[in-house]
């Protein structure tokens, strides 16, 4: 009974309880980037020798994948899955449940369910005010580069091998998409299921460009609309003096497919002068030209994706707000954004297609993205 136990390293702490024939061992979280091992040393009173026992520790699980078998994911099954890996229920609401986890990087995982009780989405939230998040120049919370590297490596290892832009990953075997929201007040990874399309859907014969070049003046838009059934709708005019933007709307009453064509221009408030064309957006009637619905969620049709690929557009995931789907055509210098929207005062929802210039330079993109953000505010 006369023995003691000590640790050979600072990440293991031991307490000797010889009268109970026990050792209490505590190990710090392993954030070293790999498995590690050390020893605890036993010394018997009156004996010259010691006995070393090896202690091995796996790397701390920074990354945790949620339950992603969407077709069978019920709340009870997911709860059992999370409890088995020592997660704790944080909150249960109608149609959702969230868990705190054992990971220092992914602080909680939340699941959403359809009215039928089947999982529709999962969000893995990155711990805010931790080593894995920081603040950008605008004071917004962001995921650090080191944490992004961990997430990228883990998703690829988990079978999310098809990257769609910088922040969207697709797992072809499970048909699950992982989208990283890296700049937001609650950075997270959202997982959604993309089912196989049950039927074919008609789409556009070609990408619906408005054939007026970016940078054109307003007279070219007027000419195009006069020749293509557009009717100017002055009640839709909007002017943003502070950001130098203006907006004009043309209804298309003679078409059963397209509702309106709309234009953003630069605006000089001091001279009351309309400048160059910055972007266009159209409202179409048929949502299925781009989307099909599954379990309350819209998915992009295979036909529209094929048309985009034929024209040189690559899908780039959702925009920063997670509302619009973004397609990039680098060779043509065009960014296309699509969305299902139901505008206030309109009877029917619309398919929105927005076109604006695209540049690959980060500096130019930053300026353009700022301008686009202001345009979107003007539109809303």
């Amino acid at each position: 009974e006369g023995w003691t136990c000590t640790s050979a390293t600072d990440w293991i702490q031991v307490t000797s309880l010889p009268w109970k024939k026990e050792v209490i061992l505590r190990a710090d979280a392993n954030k070293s980037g790999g498995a590690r091992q050390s020893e605890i040393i036993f010394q018997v009173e009156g004996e010259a020798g010691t006995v070393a026992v090896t202690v091995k520790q796996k790397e701390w699980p920074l990354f945790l994948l949620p339950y992603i078998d969407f077709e069978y994911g019920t709340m009870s099954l997911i709860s059992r899955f999370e409890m088995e890996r020592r997660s704790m229920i944080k909150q249960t609401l109608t149609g959702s449940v969230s868990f705190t986890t054992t990971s220092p990087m992914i602080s909680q995982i939340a699941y959403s369910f359809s009215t039928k009780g089947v999982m529709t989405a999962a969000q893995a939230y990155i711990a805010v005010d931790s080593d894995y998040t920081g603040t950008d120049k605008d004071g917004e919370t962001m995921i650090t580069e080191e944490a992004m590297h961990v997430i990228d490596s883990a998703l690829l290892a988990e079978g999310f091998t098809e990257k769609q832009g910088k922040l969207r990953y697709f797992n072809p075997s499970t048909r699950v998409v992982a989208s990283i929201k890296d700049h937001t007040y609650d950075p997270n990874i959202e997982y959604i299921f993309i089912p196989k399309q049950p039927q074919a859907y008609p789409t556009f014969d070609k990408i619906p460009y408005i054939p007026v070049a970016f940078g054109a003046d307003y007279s070219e838009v007027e000419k195009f609309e006069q020749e293509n059934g557009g009717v100017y709708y002055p009640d839709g005019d909007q002017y943003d003096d502070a950001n130098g933007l203006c907006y004009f709307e043309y209804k298309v009453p003679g078409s059963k497919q397209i509702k309106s064509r709309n234009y953003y221009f630069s605006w000089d408030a001091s001279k009351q002068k309309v400048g160059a064309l910055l972007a266009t957006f159209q409202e179409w009637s048929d949502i299925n030209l781009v989307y099909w619905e599954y379990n309350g969620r819209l998915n992009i049709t295979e036909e529209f994706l094929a048309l985009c690929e034929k024209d040189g557009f690559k899908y780039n995931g959702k925009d920063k707000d997670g509302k619009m789907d973004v397609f990039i055509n680098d060779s043509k210098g065009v960014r296309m954004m699509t969305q299902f929207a139901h505008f206030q005062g309109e009877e029917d929802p619309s398919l929105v297609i927005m076109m604006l210039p695209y540049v690959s330079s980060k500096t130019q993109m930053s300026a353009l993205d700022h301008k686009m953000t202001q345009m979107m505010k003007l539109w809303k």
Side-chain angles (χ1 to χ4, degrees):
E1 293 183 355
W3 59 269
T4 57
C5 181
T6 56
S7 171
T9 185
D10 58 0
W11 57 266
I12 298 174
Q13 299 87 44
V14 293
T15 302
S16 302
L17 304 174
W19 61 93
K20 294 180 68 176
K21 300 182 180 179
E22 289 182 4
V23 171
I24 297 175
L25 182 150
R26 294 180 176 85
D28 295 339
N30 181 7
K31 302 177 184 179
S32 64
R36 64 184 177 182
Q37 71 177 45
S38 186
E39 295 176 333
I40 55 175
I41 311 299
F42 288 88
Q43 173 77 53
V44 177
E45 188 177 318
E47 297 288 340
T50 60
V51 174
V53 177
T54 300
V55 178
K56 297 180 180 180
Q57 186 187 40
K58 293 181 179 179
E59 182 183 4
W60 183 272
L62 294 179
F63 180 85
L64 289 177
L65 189 69
Y67 187 91
I68 60 170
D69 194 347
F70 279 73
E71 293 178 286
Y72 302 97
T74 62
M75 189 176 292
S76 60
L77 187 61
I78 288 167
S79 296
R80 186 161 65 248
F81 167 81
E82 288 292 351
M83 291 296 194
E84 285 176 354
R85 62 182 186 182
R86 295 173 24 197
S87 299
M88 298 293 290
I89 291 180
K90 179 181 181 183
Q91 188 176 44
T92 301
L93 300 172
T94 302
S96 69
V97 60
S98 60
F99 300 84
T100 56
T101 79
T102 58
S103 166
M105 184 172 80
I106 296 177
S107 58
Q108 64 173 304
I109 296 178
Y111 297 89
S112 303
F113 301 87
S114 70
T115 53
K116 297 178 181 179
V118 178
M119 180 170 62
T120 57
Q123 286 86 27
Y125 291 91
I126 310 302
V128 179
D129 298 327
S130 69
D131 294 338
Y132 311 103
T133 58
T135 305
D136 64 15
K137 58 182 176 58
D138 297 320
E140 192 173 50
T141 302
M142 59 175 286
I143 302 174
T144 64
E145 289 187 15
E146 293 80 6
M148 286 292 290
H149 176 71
V150 171
I151 295 168
D152 177 79
S153 300
L155 286 173
L156 292 173
E158 294 285 357
F160 291 81
T161 53
E162 294 184 16
K163 293 189 71 171
Q164 301 169 341
K166 181 183 177 183
L167 302 175
R168 183 180 166 100
Y169 300 71
F170 180 63
N171 186 323
S173 63
T174 60
R175 299 193 63 81
V176 173
V177 167
S179 300
I180 303 172
K181 311 295 191 300
D182 64 335
H183 278 70
T184 176
Y185 68 93
D186 58 349
N188 66 86
I189 311 166
E190 182 184 44
Y191 297 84
I192 60 171
F193 176 57
I194 306 296
K196 290 185 178 179
Q197 190 172 305
Q199 66 186 62
Y201 290 92
T203 191
F204 302 99
D205 295 329
K206 57 183 179 180
I207 297 293
Y209 298 103
I210 294 177
V212 180
F214 299 123
D217 61 34
Y218 185 52
S219 63
E220 294 187 49
V221 168
E222 286 183 304
K223 182 176 183 295
F224 168 76
E225 290 295 342
Q226 289 170 2
E227 294 173 351
N228 290 274
V231 177
Y232 174 51
Y233 182 66
D235 289 349
D237 288 2
Q238 295 186 53
Y239 296 87
D240 182 350
D241 294 349
N243 293 293
L245 298 168
C246 59
Y247 167 86
F248 304 107
E249 182 174 348
Y250 282 82
K251 303 286 189 182
V252 191
S255 174
K256 293 181 179 180
Q257 289 187 310
I258 186 166
K259 298 179 179 180
S260 67
R261 291 184 288 258
N262 314 282
Y263 303 87
Y264 293 98
F265 285 86
S266 59
W267 166 249
D268 187 336
S270 62
K271 299 179 180 179
Q272 295 289 290
K273 182 179 179 180
V274 176
L277 177 65
L278 299 174
T280 67
F281 99 78
Q282 309 166 56
E283 286 187 59
W284 292 74
S285 300
D286 188 357
I287 305 300
N288 291 138
L289 290 169
V290 173
Y291 296 107
W292 69 282
E293 185 269 339
Y294 172 81
N295 220 3
R297 185 179 291 273
L298 291 176
N299 302 291
I300 304 169
T301 68
E302 295 172 3
E303 290 77 15
F304 185 70
L305 287 171
L307 177 64
C308 288
E309 185 176 353
K310 180 180 177 182
D311 197 78
F313 280 95
K314 291 184 178 181
Y315 184 57
N316 203 49
K318 294 283 187 179
D319 68 347
K320 186 177 179 180
D321 295 328
K323 295 180 179 180
M324 301 190 81
D325 291 290
V326 181
F327 302 81
I328 300 297
N329 192 319
D330 205 8
S331 62
K332 292 183 179 179
V334 176
R335 173 161 39 173
M336 176 172 63
M337 304 173 73
T338 64
Q339 182 186 8
F340 165 85
H342 200 160
F343 297 108
Q344 187 175 1
E346 293 191 9
E347 294 184 5
D348 301 317
S350 298
L351 169 66
V352 171
I353 299 178
M354 187 171 186
M355 298 281 189
L356 61 159
Y358 172 76
V359 290
S360 55
S361 164
K362 289 185 178 180
T363 303
Q364 289 178 290
M365 278 299 294
S366 177
L368 186 62
D369 283 344
H370 174 73
K371 182 72 74 174
M372 192 195 77
T373 300
Q374 303 310 316
M375 286 193 286
M376 296 299 285
K377 289 178 180 177
L378 185 62
W379 164 36
K380 293 171 184 176

